Amino acid sequence: MTLADTFPLSAETAASRSTPRVRDLRLDFFRGIAMFIILISHTPGNFLSLWIPARWGFSDATEIFVFCSGMASAIAFGGAFARAGWLLGSARVAFRVWQVYWAHIGLFIATAALMAAIDHYGGYDKNYIGSLNLWKFFEAPAEPLMGLMTLGYVPNYFDILPMYMVVLAMMPLVMALARINRWAVFAFMITVWLGAQTWLMGTAHLAFPAEPWSERKWFFNPFAWQLVFFTGFAFMRGWLPKPPVHPALFVLAAIVVIATVPLSNIGVRAIEQDWFFTTQAGNPVIDARLALRPLTDKTDFGLLRYVHFLSLAYLAWVIAGDKGANLLARGASLPAQMWDIIVKIILKVGQQSLAVFVVSMFIARIMGFIMDLTGRTTGIALLVNLGGALVLVAVAYGAGWFKSQPWKGTAA
């Protein structure tokens, strides 16, 4: 008896074996954009972070990264379930979780060592270990080290990969539910998300502790963030139909995105500068933002973040064209050729997102340290950001080269 006999294929799965999926350029393009935004936002004191999407609306690059990762996982891992069955598909996911786990451990150790080296050899006024709140790890490392290896100790700066691991670990269950009925998948997604909502339950019943010496929870609750991951997964697997390109939908999405600007971080900053009207009772915009905070919470992935991201994603999806046709200029002029080169570079960065993400989190601290030494004038900040971006591009092409295993096709 084979594994296929033990776990028979559904009609949908059998059909997917004979229908190869063409990779959508939009997937890698927007994931590549997210990588550059993540680098900017994690660089301390970076003035460019004032212009990232998170400042203009409820959602940010994290949603882009997680949503696109869900889509990419549908291709990479969903295809494994279709070709090899549920058991081997689950093994494929477990192997990826294993890879991400060690990437997380390596990132933490490398970054902590960097902060310790700067503090030890630099003699600067700023405490870099303290800037990441790593006091406990260096003062009494036994408990934090055990927590690090078991994911019971997850400092805020190092919280995206643990969230990603847990969401990936849910995939075998989701694929098993999909064999029963795709509506069972959606019921699972909604139920788990509701269990992670603090505003609804008074406390998040589904949450992980971030450290053993306090009540703090993971900043990114995976039970909440699985909603956007599996939304992307469902679109790519065909469980959700792709939305139609319609002017009314485009206008509605644009209204949602524009209407949230006054309630965004940039809107609040404008209010604080008296750009908006104030009354003796306070400012209604700030009051509204405070009232909506449970629905925009990042830890619990509030509902309005979801609505804002889907609206923004729809606009980007339509503007980019079918399978990203509008992303490539395909022209003979020099500007068109330059644009095509830029797009291809962004695509490469998006294709190697794990390697790029890990390096970006590390060099972001180096970039912040450089600007601590040299100052944060506009020119210096732009040069430092350009240097960081070039490092990400080099990492993407280097990772792609190693993955191609060129030595296999080279004669001695």
Side-chain angles (χ1 to χ4, degrees), residues 210-257:
E211 53 195 22
W213 51 85
S214 78
E215 298 297 320
R216 188 173 67 85
K217 306 296 183 182
W218 285 16
F219 182 76
F220 289 107
N221 188 334
F223 299 106
W225 280 83
Q226 55 80 29
L227 182 65
V228 68
F229 178 91
F230 285 118
T231 298
F233 190 93
F235 273 121
M236 190 57 71
R237 293 301 298 168
W239 299 344
L240 288 173
K242 63 181 181 180
V245 179
H246 193 280
L249 282 177
F250 191 88
V251 170
L252 178 61
I255 290 174
V256 171
V257 171

Side-chain angles (χ1 to χ4, degrees), residues 115-400:
M115 299 294 96
I118 294 175
D119 282 344
H120 181 72
Y121 294 107
Y124 306 106
D125 293 336
K126 180 178 178 179
N127 186 287
Y128 287 86
I129 289 175
S131 68
L132 287 180
N133 196 25
L134 300 179
W135 296 106
K136 190 75 172 182
F137 184 81
F138 286 94
E139 289 177 352
E143 189 176 29
L145 186 58
M146 291 186 291
L148 174 68
M149 301 304 293
T150 59
L151 301 184
Y153 172 52
V154 181
N156 281 347
Y157 189 75
F158 306 93
D159 42 21
I160 295 183
L161 292 182
M163 175 265 285
Y164 182 46
M165 279 186 272
V166 175
V167 174
L168 281 177
M170 297 181 192
M171 196 183 302
L173 175 58
V174 167
M175 295 302 293
L177 291 173
R179 295 186 176 220
I180 300 172
N181 190 295
R182 70 180 63 181
W183 292 107
V185 174
F186 301 140
F188 168 80
M189 292 164 55
I190 295 171
T191 301
V192 172
W193 178 81
L194 288 173
Q197 298 306 298
T198 304
W199 65 270
L200 183 64
M201 304 291 186
T203 182
H205 292 291
L206 296 177
F208 290 121
E211 53 195 22
W213 51 85
S214 78
E215 298 297 320
R216 188 173 67 85
K217 306 296 183 182
W218 285 16
F219 182 76
F220 289 107
N221 188 334
F223 299 106
W225 280 83
Q226 55 80 29
L227 182 65
V228 68
F229 178 91
F230 285 118
T231 298
F233 190 93
F235 273 121
M236 190 57 71
R237 293 301 298 168
W239 299 344
L240 288 173
K242 63 181 181 180
V245 179
H246 193 280
L249 282 177
F250 191 88
V251 170
L252 178 61
I255 290 174
V256 171
V257 171
I258 294 172
T260 59
V261 172
L263 300 174
S264 66
N265 290 338
I266 198 70
V268 171
R269 186 178 181 187
I271 291 168
E272 292 172 346
Q273 299 296 323
D274 292 331
W275 297 350
F276 288 96
F277 66 91
T278 57
T279 66
Q280 292 182 351
N283 190 288
V285 176
I286 293 181
D287 294 341
R289 180 179 170 88
L290 292 175
L292 293 174
R293 182 172 291 176
L295 300 178
T296 62
D297 185 75
K298 193 168 186 176
T299 294
D300 297 342
F301 187 58
L303 183 61
L304 289 183
R305 294 185 70 93
Y306 190 52
V307 173
H308 179 266
F309 170 74
L310 291 180
S311 301
L312 193 61
Y314 179 77
L315 295 177
W317 182 76
V318 172
I319 293 172
D322 185 42
K323 292 183 172 58
N326 295 340
L327 295 176
L328 296 177
R330 292 187 174 88
S333 65
L334 183 60
Q337 293 175 354
M338 290 296 296
W339 172 250
D340 284 345
I341 292 173
I342 293 172
V343 169
K344 290 176 182 177
I345 290 174
I346 295 173
L347 291 173
K348 178 62 71 173
V349 171
Q351 290 165 3
Q352 307 297 335
S353 59
L354 179 59
V356 170
F357 174 80
V358 170
V359 172
S360 72
M361 297 293 283
F362 180 77
I363 66 169
R365 310 313 298 187
I366 297 178
M367 291 165 60
F369 173 63
I370 291 174
M371 286 192 282
D372 285 343
L373 296 179
T374 59
R376 283 177 166 78
T377 63
T378 300
I380 290 175
L382 290 176
L383 284 174
V384 170
N385 279 275
L386 176 61
L390 292 176
V391 171
L392 297 194
V393 172
V395 168
Y397 277 93

